[in-house]
Amino acid sequence: MKSSVITFPGSNCDRDMDVALKKFGFKNKMVWHNDTELPKSDLVVLPGGFSYGDYLRCGSMASKSKIMKSVMNFANSGGMVMGICNGFQILVETGLVPGVLLRNKYLEFICKNVFVKINNKKNTYFKNIDNDVLEFHIAHNEGNYFCTKDQLKEIEDNEQVAINYCNRVGDLEEQFNPNGSIKNIAGIFNKKKNVLGMMPHPERMIDPSLSGEDGSLFFNNLINNLK
Amino acid sequence: MKISVIITLKKDVLDPQGKVIHQTLDGMGFNDINEVRQGKYFEIDTKESDPKIAKDKVEEMCKKLLANLVIENYKIIDAQ
């Protein structure tokens, strides 16, 4: 399976993602934001970081960079595109996934492990995964997912919510919501479920000696689903 | 020609920074404030001299980049 990770000026999780993808069998290529063509890929990843210094709105500048035209064409023709953290912020700015990510409710940069409950397993990202709850890491200042009431209805009707913040056993209460996101939303799909944006970082949970292995579950499952 | 634009958060969007500013002002003795909402201001100096065309272009810029219409409104407040 081939993957591409896009590096924007200010990306800082691009190499972690490269390590994670290769560890689970992807042949990964790093792609510079100023390139115009994507290498042949089964998966494109927009990594975390602070693209363009988070100027104007997080992800807004990166969403207009040269490579994004190809990424959008790829996504619109059914290609798998995953945006993590700043990558999620870039995805919402392109309009590939609905909504926006606002400043965290309590104005803090949050850096900690969280639990997320998988809301929809009928897609290439999460099907066949045994666990209902995964432990991932978050590190962000603008992860407060917001959308209009009409958008929320559409998102829920189309089963576009991918994961929600929860506790260890999967309870979805407000107290387990770290950043104020509507309905504890931590990640969402586009309508077709080939594009996934999420704030948590699975690539930080691929080594038991560092943090945990729920990211390993995620990537192993993902590459098997793509095969 | 210089065009000035302000971008404000829509009414039902939470503005935690505005809230903190409100609280701070309140603590300083400005006790009669109902609400503070924080926004953005842009000055765009363009080579275009026709005000109508310049305003239209800036409006396009607002829609495509300067504002995110899910949460923000824009208003061109001055052109000279």
Side-chain angles (χ1 to χ4, degrees), chain A residues 117-134:
Chain A
K117 187 173 187 179
I118 304 167
N119 181 59
N120 180 350
K121 290 190 183 178
K122 289 176 284 182
N123 54 77
T124 313
Y125 292 97
F126 294 108
K127 79 175 172 202
N128 301 327
I129 213 161
D130 288 333
N131 304 35
D132 290 328
V133 175
L134 296 170

Side-chain angles (χ1 to χ4, degrees), chain A residues 56-57 60-61 64 93 100 102-105 107 144 146-148 151, chain B residues 9 12-14 16-17 20 40 42 64-68 70-72:
Chain A
L56 190 63
R57 293 178 308 277
S60 63
M61 302 292 177
K64 311 293 177 199
E93 284 288 341
V100 290
L102 298 173
R103 185 96 185 256
N104 294 341
K105 193 175 175 186
L107 299 172
N144 177 357
F146 177 87
C147 60
T148 62
Q151 279 179 317
Chain B
L9 278 175
D12 51 351
V13 178
L14 183 75
Q17 294 183 86
V20 172
K40 292 172 187 158
F42 297 88
K64 286 188 172 165
L65 180 69
L66 301 181
N68 183 327
V70 179
I71 47 164
E72 292 169 327

Side-chain angles (χ1 to χ4, degrees), chain A residues 62-207:
Chain A
S63 74
K64 311 293 177 199
S65 63
K66 281 187 184 166
I67 193 67
M68 284 310 292
K69 273 191 186 160
S70 301
V71 174
M72 287 173 79
N73 287 339
F74 179 74
N76 287 329
S77 59
M80 297 277 287
V81 177
M82 178 168 78
I84 304 295
C85 196
N86 188 229
F88 185 14
Q89 294 164 342
I90 296 168
L91 282 178
V92 297
E93 284 288 341
T94 62
L96 281 173
V97 294
V100 290
L101 292 149
L102 298 173
R103 185 96 185 256
N104 294 341
K105 193 175 175 186
Y106 302 109
L107 299 172
E108 292 168 316
F109 186 97
I110 308 167
C111 182
K112 64 174 187 181
N113 283 6
V114 293
F115 293 98
V116 292
K117 187 173 187 179
I118 304 167
N119 181 59
N120 180 350
K121 290 190 183 178
K122 289 176 284 182
N123 54 77
T124 313
Y125 292 97
F126 294 108
K127 79 175 172 202
N128 301 327
I129 213 161
D130 288 333
N131 304 35
D132 290 328
V133 175
L134 296 170
E135 185 179 11
F136 283 160
H137 190 81
I138 55 168
H140 61 247
N141 199 39
E142 283 86 4
N144 177 357
Y145 184 76
F146 177 87
C147 60
T148 62
K149 275 183 189 159
D150 293 346
Q151 279 179 317
L152 184 64
K153 188 177 180 307
E154 208 183 320
I155 288 167
E156 289 185 327
D157 288 351
N158 295 323
E159 301 182 300
Q160 284 173 255
V161 176
I163 49 175
N164 304 83
Y165 299 108
C166 63
N167 67 355
R168 190 177 290 274
V169 292
D171 297 329
L172 299 173
E173 278 153 42
E174 175 57 29
Q175 55 182 312
F176 310 122
N177 183 347
N179 53 25
S181 293
I182 286 187
K183 299 227 167 173
N184 289 30
I185 290 174
I188 53 164
F189 299 110
N190 65 342
K191 268 187 195 160
K192 285 194 207 158
K193 323 285 186 297
N194 59 309
V195 180
L196 167 66
M198 61 175 170
M199 290 316 292
H201 291 263
E203 80 279 12
R204 294 189 185 180
M205 305 297 270
I206 58 161
D207 190 332

Side-chain angles (χ1 to χ4, degrees), chain B residues 1-6 41-46 48-59 75-80:
Chain B
M1 156 156 280
K2 269 188 189 164
I3 314 263
S4 303
V5 184
I6 54 166
Y41 170 77
F42 297 88
E43 257 179 20
I44 297 167
D45 194 345
T46 166
E48 180 59 58
S49 53
D50 183 324
K52 168 92 179 65
I53 297 172
K55 275 188 186 175
D56 285 352
K57 281 245 170 83
V58 170
E59 191 163 346
K75 196 174 178 186
I76 296 172
I77 52 167
D78 194 25
Q80 55 184 331

